Amino acid sequence: MHSDSWSILLWVYYPYLMLLSFIVGNFVRFKYFHASITAKSSEIFEKKLLIIGSTLFHVGIILAFFGHCLGMLVPMEWTSYFGITEKMYHMFGSLMMGIPAGSLAWIGIAILTYRRMTVARVFKTSSINDIIIDWVLLITITLGMCCTIYGGFVDYNYRLTIGPWVRSLFTLHPQWQLMKNVPLIYKIHVCCGFAIFGYFPYTRLVHALTLPWQYIFRRFIVYRRRIAYTK
């Protein structure tokens, strides 16, 4: 197959297929299998590692997610308009914020994966999806950390290639040519990231989308002090 054909397959069809799986899969999961969304707790089998790993992972992954949104979806022209140079962005955004956030997420998922694989009762009650998603997350976050560190030693600006390519997917005019000369480690990280999006609806990760909106719109509950009845 011609090299351009592979590029089009990887940087056009593959991301759209994963995003389609994410959208359709979540719709079907919420519409027809809503009772299966809540993540099963294994706290009864082991608590200490779960609390530490889960806390670190959730804090780190939330920070990393918003960091990716800033890097991928916000054009350089916008940050430059506010006086943020590429050197400043790389130093404070990628290194000083990205590495701590990625480290928290990596340590957290490493603890959770270790727990799932070594605590017998947790392992026996885990589904194949639970095991796969833990390892995929661990590998993807590891690659992300490697990309961040790699970017600190080489003259490569992903905001000139990967960022515009990601935005072009949402405008339905994918500029796949931008990904041809991207370093291999970034390409693998991107592929793993989209794989997580595609696999997301079929795992317990889907519970991240279940926000308690009903508490925002429900009527206020009025509490009244009980008054003793006296004759």
Side-chain angles (χ1 to χ4, degrees):
M1 184 180 293
H2 195 272
S3 60
D4 284 353
S5 299
W6 280 112
S7 295
I8 294 172
L9 178 65
L10 280 176
W11 313 123
V12 179
Y13 291 105
Y14 172 70
Y16 280 132
L17 181 63
M18 294 298 101
L19 291 174
L20 181 64
S21 175
F22 179 84
I23 295 171
V24 175
N26 279 309
F27 174 79
V28 173
R29 184 82 179 266
F30 275 82
K31 181 71 174 179
Y32 300 104
F33 302 96
H34 198 275
S36 69
I37 290 175
T38 302
K40 298 179 294 182
S41 175
S42 58
E43 183 178 351
I44 190 174
F45 302 130
E46 195 283 328
K47 189 173 183 179
K48 185 177 180 180
L49 291 175
L50 175 64
I51 292 176
I52 298 173
S54 181
T55 302
L56 292 176
F57 172 72
H58 282 87
V59 172
I61 206 67
I62 290 172
L63 293 175
F65 173 78
F66 285 107
H68 278 68
C69 289
L70 177 62
M72 297 293 105
L73 303 181
V74 178
M76 285 184 58
E77 293 79 7
W78 293 16
T79 53
S80 298
Y81 177 80
F82 291 100
I84 303 174
T85 65
E86 177 55 28
K87 185 176 181 179
M88 292 170 57
Y89 176 89
H90 181 74
M91 178 62 67
F92 293 100
S94 297
L95 297 181
M96 296 183 67
M97 296 179 65
I99 289 181
S103 297
L104 289 176
W106 188 90
I107 294 171
I109 194 61
I111 291 173
L112 293 175
T113 304
Y114 171 82
R115 173 181 178 270
R116 189 176 300 283
M117 302 304 295
T118 60
V119 178
R121 289 184 294 179
V122 176
F123 180 78
K124 289 180 180 179
T125 56
S126 299
S127 67
I128 186 64
N129 275 354
D130 296 333
I131 296 172
I132 290 174
I133 198 62
D134 274 4
W135 281 104
V136 172
L137 284 170
L138 181 59
I139 293 170
T140 304
I141 295 172
T142 301
L143 289 169
M145 290 292 292
C146 292
C147 289
T148 301
I149 297 172
Y150 175 84
F153 293 96
V154 298
D155 185 20
Y156 173 71
N157 185 2
Y158 68 87
R159 300 179 74 202
L160 294 175
T161 53
I162 303 177
W165 168 71
V166 169
R167 295 193 295 274
S168 74
L169 293 176
F170 292 100
T171 60
L172 302 182
H173 292 89
Q175 301 178 33
W176 57 270
Q177 298 91 340
L178 293 173
M179 294 296 293
K180 293 187 67 173
N181 296 319
V182 170
L184 180 61
I185 191 169
Y186 285 87
K187 290 181 177 180
I188 298 174
H189 178 57
V190 169
C191 287
C192 289
F194 273 101
I196 291 176
F197 273 101
Y199 195 40
F200 185 98
Y202 318 107
T203 69
R204 65 174 61 198
L205 290 178
V206 76
H207 78 274
L209 301 179
T210 57
L211 298 176
W213 298 112
Q214 66 272 20
Y215 290 103
I216 300 176
F217 301 104
R218 75 176 184 179
R219 299 174 63 182
F220 289 105
I221 299 176
V222 179
Y223 292 93
R224 293 184 175 89
R225 181 180 300 174
R226 179 180 295 179
I227 301 176
Y229 175 77
T230 57
K231 292 184 179 180

